[in-house]
Amino acid sequence: MQAKHNGDVSFWYADIGGVPAYRPSLPGDIEADVCIVGAGYTGLWTAYYLKKAQPALRIAIVEKEFAGFGASGRNGGWLSGGFSWSREKYAKTSSRGAVIDMQRAMFGTVDEVIAVTEAEGIDADIRRVDNITVATNAAQLQRARAEYEELLSWEMPPERLAFLDAREARQRIAIDKVLGAFVVRNVARVQPAKLVQGLAAAVVRLGVPIYEQTQVLAIEKGKVATTRGIVRAQKIVRATEGFTAGIPGYERLWLPLNSAIVVTEKLPQKLWDAIGWNGYEVLGDAAHTYCYAQRTREGRIAMGGRGVPYRFGSRTDVRGRTQQATIDQLHEVLTRLLPQTKGARLDHAWCGTLGVPRDWCTTSGFDRESGIGWAGGYVGLGVSSSNLSGRTLRDLVLGHDTELTRLPWVDRTVKKWEPEPLRWLGVHTMYQLYRIADRREANGLGRTSRLAAFADRLTGH
């Protein structure tokens, strides 16, 4: 099925009247106390918390496009406080208790983001909801239950979790062939572009300039070179997430993994009566090539997934335009899970990139010798993780020793991704194996396919 609109950054911008007008570019060479590269969630949260902590700080943000051009304005709108990275990997370099502290801090981001939006008057369609992961075959049901039990084993408060049988899951959302579901409570649904634009406006009100249409050419100690001039700053924060590979010297640090979303037309009430979804839960499934979805404010379904997962040479998309094959895949996922939607039109499709470290574990940190800090590699959990990044980078940049700066993701180092064509082959092989594994499980395998386990070992997932 063709989508009425493809690209134009994302539907979320169409929902608010189009992409914003550009702010002024860097006017030439300037000096600042802190230079932040990238005006997405990570850069904006960092600027917000730094300026709140020390109002006299001279902070400058440089951005290649406009604030919220990247994943911050294109994501699925899950303010989940999620922690899907390997707890065991973090524990190997810290301790079990430290990982539990990090998990608790991540889940706390939901309340923190909501508190800031209320304080700053940001209307981002935020609604507190549950996160529901559905299983539609026996293998998925095993994985969903294993994830539920793993959370309990890592001291997640039991009142925040639930496991639903088929009848209970169907009462929530009428997913076809659903066998059960695992629920995490106290998450939220957001309109991503509204959140990032509101946050950008709040940062500007605090006195932080955002220099747009200013492409960074190089980052080095004390200096950020751009197409519009040089920013000299004692401290620098790299907040470029999925676009990091475009900066010289960082080509193999984080892989830009593609994700795409389709949005339906507004669905009639009769169709919602058939689907349910009255709790506006954020919805995912337990497939290896998993999907993520939300019921929007005005009654659409936004359905996301990986599509074409990676472009050779870490290339990124052109203003969100995605391939028809990806649109077809996402439409198939939507109508397979919710066959009630087969007659619904797709109003918009787009894609974006998210940063993936070689060990699939997000990091933040600050190198005191160079004065350069960073955060990212969120692997799809950036809406909430970026908030914790901003507060952590505030403390790191200011030189404070706090509970946040002692969390196990801070100053974590991982090896680089392989050069091409090895990383292209590895990522595409992984997703081909996942798709084959999903088909085998859907056809009655009854357990997790060994092909999926091999795919995980291949790429360190």
Side-chain angles (χ1 to χ4, degrees):
M1 176 181 284
Q2 294 272 346
K4 186 178 179 182
H5 301 284
N6 187 348
D8 302 325
V9 185
S10 74
F11 163 79
W12 307 124
Y13 282 107
D15 184 47
I16 59 175
V19 298
Y22 285 108
R23 294 181 174 88
S25 303
L26 186 70
D29 294 356
I30 67 168
E31 291 188 0
D33 297 314
V34 182
C35 179
I36 297 173
V37 179
Y41 289 142
T42 301
L44 294 172
W45 281 123
T46 302
Y48 179 83
Y49 288 114
L50 277 171
K51 198 68 172 174
K52 284 285 192 178
Q54 289 195 10
L57 273 180
R58 297 174 302 161
I59 302 171
I61 302 176
V62 291
E63 163 60 46
K64 181 180 179 181
E65 288 285 344
F66 60 82
F69 173 81
S72 300
R74 307 190 201 184
N75 61 80
W78 285 32
L79 178 59
S80 67
F83 196 112
S84 69
W85 317 292
S86 170
R87 292 167 176 80
E88 287 76 13
K89 288 178 183 178
Y90 285 116
K92 282 181 180 178
T93 55
S94 58
S95 67
R96 175 181 169 84
V99 176
I100 291 170
D101 288 342
M102 183 175 166
Q103 177 179 267
R104 187 179 300 115
M106 284 291 179
F107 272 92
T109 60
V110 177
D111 291 340
E112 174 67 15
V113 171
I114 292 173
V116 173
T117 59
E118 290 174 350
E120 297 294 341
I122 299 170
D123 176 10
D125 296 343
I126 295 181
R127 181 174 184 142
R128 289 186 185 271
V129 298
D130 290 346
N131 180 347
I132 182 168
T133 301
V134 298
T136 57
N137 60 53
Q140 289 184 17
L141 189 64
Q142 287 179 4
R143 286 196 296 276
R145 185 169 290 281
E147 187 174 356
Y148 166 73
E149 292 173 350
E150 181 184 25
L151 281 175
L152 288 174
S153 74
W154 283 91
E155 299 185 20
M156 178 66 71
E159 64 273 14
R160 295 198 63 167
L161 305 175
F163 202 88
L164 311 180
D165 62 24
R167 181 186 60 81
E168 292 168 326
R170 199 173 295 111
Q171 286 176 342
R172 292 283 194 105
I173 308 173
I175 300 292
D176 191 42
K177 299 178 182 177
V178 67
L179 299 180
F182 140 58
V183 175
V184 180
R185 300 188 178 100
N186 194 31
V187 307
R189 178 216 68 189
V190 305
Q191 207 280 29
K194 285 186 174 184
L195 177 58
V196 73
Q197 290 304 311
L199 184 56
V203 165
V204 171
R205 285 196 303 270
L206 289 173
V208 178
I210 302 173
Y211 298 112
E212 298 181 342
Q213 291 190 294
T214 301
Q215 181 178 356
V216 169
L217 302 175
I219 300 173
E220 55 188 76
K221 183 177 181 178
K223 184 173 76 172
V224 175
T226 81
T227 52
R228 305 285 187 166
I230 293 173
V231 182
R232 299 190 185 279
Q234 212 173 25
K235 296 177 180 179
I236 297 165
V237 172
R238 175 174 48 78
T240 46
E241 179 57 358
F243 294 97
T244 300
I247 301 173
Y250 296 94
E251 293 87 352
R252 290 166 51 197
L253 182 63
W254 292 336
L255 181 142
L257 194 66
N258 292 305
S259 199
I261 303 178
V262 295
V263 170
T264 68
E265 63 182 327
K266 294 180 184 178
L267 303 183
Q269 186 57 48
K270 183 178 180 180
L271 188 50
W272 283 118
D273 291 342
I275 293 172
W277 214 337
N278 298 319
Y280 285 76
E281 296 90 344
V282 291
L283 167 69
D285 71 353
H288 301 291
T289 54
Y290 58 87
C291 68
Y292 52 94
Q294 68 153 280
R295 176 178 174 172
T296 70
R297 172 197 74 245
E298 76 282 35
R300 304 172 187 268
I301 297 175
M303 174 65 72
R306 289 292 174 260
V308 177
Y310 173 71
R311 292 179 172 87
F312 189 88
S314 294
R315 293 195 305 271
T316 54
D317 57 86
V318 179
R319 296 185 73 83
R321 186 169 182 84
T322 193
Q323 304 92 340
Q324 184 59 45
T326 296
I327 298 171
D328 292 341
Q329 287 175 26
L330 293 176
H331 185 246
E332 188 277 329
V333 173
L334 172 64
T335 55
R336 173 167 45 81
L337 293 177
L338 293 167
Q340 306 93 323
T341 64
K342 283 184 178 177
R345 184 181 71 238
L346 296 182
D347 268 1
H348 211 120
W350 71 95
C351 68
T353 59
L354 50 105
V356 178
R358 187 62 182 85
D359 68 351
W360 298 75
C361 292
T362 190
T363 64
S364 66
F366 185 78
D367 179 65
R368 294 182 181 179
E369 172 61 29
S370 66
I372 298 173
W374 70 90
Y378 297 128
V379 199
L381 295 176
V383 182
S384 49
S385 303
S386 58
N387 175 269
L388 187 61
S389 291
R391 287 180 281 139
T392 303
L393 284 166
R394 170 200 59 198
D395 293 349
L396 289 168
V397 168
L398 296 178
H400 297 162
D401 179 15
T402 67
E403 290 181 1
L404 295 182
T405 63
R406 293 191 292 270
L407 293 176
W409 69 329
V410 174
D411 292 335
R412 179 182 176 82
T413 57
V414 296
K415 67 179 183 179
K416 293 182 178 180
W417 282 90
E418 291 76 4
E420 296 290 22
L422 294 178
R423 67 177 179 269
W424 186 93
L425 288 169
V427 174
H428 280 263
T429 299
M430 178 182 75
Y431 275 98
Q432 286 293 343
L433 290 171
Y434 282 163
R435 291 185 182 102
I436 296 169
D438 281 335
R439 285 200 296 270
R440 290 186 175 183
E441 291 172 11
N443 289 332
L445 181 61
R447 55 169 174 78
T448 293
S449 170
R450 292 189 179 92
L451 291 176
F454 174 71
D456 288 341
R457 289 197 301 274
L458 177 69
T459 58
H461 188 201

